[in-house]
Amino acid sequence: MEELTPRLRAVCDLHVAEMRESSGRHEYDGQIQDLSPGGVRSGLAQLEQARSGTGALDDPHDEAHLRAFEELCRVEYGELELHRRNPLVHLGELDLACYDREYAAEEQREAARLAHLAAWPAAMDNAVAALDEVSGPVASALLDAARGLAAGIPGSADPGIRDAAVAAHARLVAHLERAAGGAADAGLGSAGLAALMGSAEGTPVNIGRLAEQADAERGRLRARLTESCAKLDPGRPALDVARELVRDHPGPDQVIDAAREWTSRVIEFTRERELMPYNDGECLVGLAPPSRRWAMAMMSSNAPGEPEGPSWYHITPPEPSWPAQEVEEWLEVFSAATLPGITVHEVAPGHFSHGRALRRAPTTVRRVLHSMAFVEGWAHYAEELCVEEGFGAPDPRFEIGVWLEALIRVTRLACAIGVHTAGMSVAEGARRFEEDTHLAGPAALSEAKRATFDPTYGRYTWGKLAIMELRERARKDWGGGFTLRRFHAALMDLGAPPLGLLSTAVDRG
């Protein structure tokens, strides 16, 4: 594994959990970032010292990429102090599921897991000390995730270490339970949201303009959904047709097998159409680790800094103990209309394919620092790309599923803007999801709650639109030399670039 420069190390030290799992920097195994007020101040001081004491990188693109992440650190920890107001920052550091994937020998990973667990008491106390500005909606939304951390405690742990970790975990949960009765306003404000979104992406953000783009995209998606649903039943409202389609799904015991079948199909389709520069690697499909079963489907990729190994497409079927209605609502996510698009997003040409390219990115900065707006925007773009390329045709269910998922993503963008800049409540956000998507009840409420603690979850739509806009520029600039594979290869060469730097793909591609 290559050595990190002082500037890059300072950024990584402020994003330990992400570096360990997404970038494969396993020198951080067994460690928890110090997110106490003093620890954050120290990290920011080291960041500034490294930045002022080191010259610019030779490649202007990589220099801009690194500067964007330095600015993100300054905004999230210095300006917005998210370690004081958002428990999610701490929960990611405490999660033990990062050691489940086979990136190293089992005994090595187990030793790291136990060292990580032994650090829980100090880290939990740091979290309690830091989290003094948590709003009621944010605390309420994250309580289940906080409680779920205990599911990852290994039975092999020394009883003394285990008891200390359990007691520390209880202190954090109790702190969040008290915070759940606190202030009702979870908003960052327009300036705060713009700074958070724009810093990591190396570009200024106009929240009003972004809201207009969300409205326009919602209108386009509604039209596409209506067009696709009319192929099945032209006499009924599109969302009525869609809500009926999602009731056609596998049973709880069949979900993982269905995901395996679609995984094979999307990988083969991506290879046949030459949509990506790399089509190697192993993608396994299996049950999500216990501490991550809040997510219905997710990709855990073989990260750039790791030896060659499998990636995992994790699936979470409903629990048999759940009420029948909750089981049914959960299974609708894995319907014959929606599971194919989810698999495109998570596997190919989405996250799994992108992960294979990240391992070949030509510079350390590009392999280590990943723009989440690009990561999620790329996977979301991949869904519509596969509609364009005819995946699933002539059966319209695949494209219907893509439009349904896209409507959820664009509603996330609208609700993030509403909650953080316009005083939208969680209840109002839930109604917005019920009006604009096929979601209802608990599913719509869950999406609305996410806006409180994940203010940039509009990144899916934002990133997708940026990639689609750049693709049109590439068609124009490259003329007869344009191919999808060339365009995608040029993007992949940049790793997971900040959205403000995407144009390098066309300029150099």
Side-chain angles (χ1 to χ4, degrees):
M1 188 183 302
E2 65 266 74
E3 211 41 50
L4 299 180
T5 65
R7 287 176 65 195
L8 191 49
R9 174 65 70 188
V11 171
C12 291
D13 285 350
L14 286 165
H15 295 99
V16 167
E18 182 181 340
M19 293 304 119
R20 179 171 47 233
E21 184 158 7
S22 298
S23 304
R25 302 299 306 193
H26 292 293
E27 66 264 43
Y28 290 111
D29 280 9
Q31 300 179 31
I32 303 180
Q33 182 179 335
D34 183 353
L35 287 167
S36 67
V40 169
R41 285 194 296 271
S42 176
L44 289 174
Q46 290 173 12
L47 180 82
E48 184 55 36
Q49 181 180 4
R51 180 161 55 176
S52 61
T54 307
L57 301 180
D58 292 338
D59 186 321
H61 173 90
D62 285 358
E63 172 63 21
H65 190 145
L66 177 54
R67 279 190 175 275
F69 277 80
E70 289 172 333
E71 180 65 8
L72 171 64
C73 292
R74 189 193 67 76
V75 167
E76 61 186 354
Y77 291 122
E79 182 177 326
L80 299 179
E81 296 185 307
L82 294 185
H83 58 293
R84 298 179 63 191
R85 61 191 302 164
N86 194 341
L88 189 64
V89 175
H90 300 267
L91 299 184
E93 286 294 329
L94 293 161
D95 190 5
L96 297 168
C98 56
Y99 305 109
D100 288 347
R101 194 166 36 79
E102 304 94 328
Y103 61 85
E106 183 176 357
E107 57 269 22
Q108 179 181 335
R109 291 183 286 113
E110 187 63 13
R113 190 196 311 268
L114 294 175
H116 198 133
L117 182 68
W120 264 24
M124 297 281 187
D125 289 344
N126 286 343
V128 171
L131 290 168
D132 60 354
E133 293 190 359
V134 185
S135 70
V138 170
S140 297
L142 286 171
L143 264 172
D144 285 346
R147 292 172 179 139
L149 285 172
I153 297 177
S156 60
D158 176 272
I161 292 177
R162 181 185 178 89
D163 290 347
V166 169
H169 177 255
R171 291 196 295 274
L172 176 61
V173 170
H175 182 74
L176 295 182
E177 287 173 342
R178 291 190 294 272
D185 184 8
L188 293 175
S190 294
L193 182 60
L196 185 62
M197 295 182 73
S199 57
E201 304 309 324
T203 185
V205 172
N206 183 318
I207 295 296
R209 173 61 182 145
L210 201 55
E212 292 173 358
Q213 287 181 288
D215 287 342
E217 177 66 359
R218 182 174 65 250
R220 184 184 76 89
L221 292 169
R222 282 175 167 172
R224 296 303 303 270
L225 180 66
T226 297
E227 175 186 319
S228 298
C229 287
K231 297 176 183 178
L232 291 177
D233 191 342
R236 295 173 61 201
L239 281 177
D240 289 351
V241 174
R243 290 181 177 122
E244 184 175 298
L245 285 176
V246 297
R247 299 189 187 107
D248 175 16
H249 54 70
D253 296 335
Q254 301 167 319
V255 167
I256 290 178
D257 285 341
R260 287 194 179 109
E261 178 183 348
W262 283 112
T263 294
S264 176
R265 291 180 63 176
V266 301
I267 289 175
E268 184 59 28
F269 182 82
T270 300
R271 181 182 295 114
E272 287 178 351
R273 296 301 176 101
E274 297 187 328
L275 298 178
M276 293 295 284
Y278 308 106
N279 294 289
D280 59 345
E282 182 180 18
C283 183
L284 302 177
V285 184
L287 189 65
S291 65
R292 297 189 178 180
R293 290 182 188 167
W294 52 267
M296 295 174 172
M298 65 183 300
M299 175 57 56
S300 182
S301 293
N302 180 211
E306 297 171 350
E308 183 66 38
S311 298
W312 276 93
Y313 176 25
H314 283 136
I315 298 292
T316 305
E319 296 290 339
S321 60
W322 291 357
Q325 182 177 347
E326 291 185 18
V327 169
E328 174 64 23
E329 290 172 348
W330 194 271
L331 286 173
E332 286 179 358
V333 172
F334 304 109
S335 72
T338 51
L339 181 58
I342 290 171
T343 306
V344 164
H345 181 103
E346 298 294 342
V347 181
H351 290 318
F352 170 66
S353 296
H354 184 200
R356 300 307 299 169
L358 276 170
R359 292 176 60 83
R360 274 90 160 203
T363 67
T364 306
V365 165
R366 301 182 200 184
R367 289 189 293 274
V368 171
L369 302 182
H370 308 155
S371 153
M372 292 312 298
F374 182 86
V375 168
E376 296 298 354
W378 169 264
H380 190 26
Y381 161 81
E383 300 166 45
E384 189 156 346
L385 169 69
C386 285
V387 172
E388 296 168 351
E389 291 297 296
F391 183 74
D395 186 341
R397 286 181 298 174
F398 172 72
E399 59 191 79
I400 289 171
V402 168
W403 309 137
L404 289 177
E405 289 297 309
L407 281 166
I408 293 172
R409 272 68 175 267
V410 76
T411 306
R412 287 175 181 171
L413 180 55
C415 282
I417 293 172
V419 165
H420 290 282
T421 72
M424 178 186 284
S425 68
V426 169
E428 290 168 338
R431 286 195 293 273
R432 179 70 178 263
F433 276 100
E434 289 185 329
E435 291 168 0
D436 290 351
T437 79
H438 67 291
L439 300 180
L445 181 60
S446 177
E447 283 287 350
K449 285 181 176 179
R450 183 175 167 184
T452 65
F453 63 83
D454 190 2
T456 65
Y457 82 150
R459 57 189 172 268
Y460 298 77
T461 297
W462 186 30
K464 178 192 73 173
L465 293 177
I467 292 169
M468 294 177 77
E469 181 179 355
L470 185 73
R471 187 176 68 174
E472 293 313 301
R473 183 191 148 190
R475 289 186 194 277
K476 178 181 177 181
D477 289 3
W478 295 349
F482 175 88
T483 66
L484 283 173
R485 191 183 187 285
R486 179 185 173 189
F487 175 64
H488 297 161
L491 278 177
M492 294 297 105
D493 188 60
L494 300 181
L499 298 185
L501 306 181
L502 289 185
S503 61
T504 301
V506 176
D507 295 339
R508 298 184 182 179

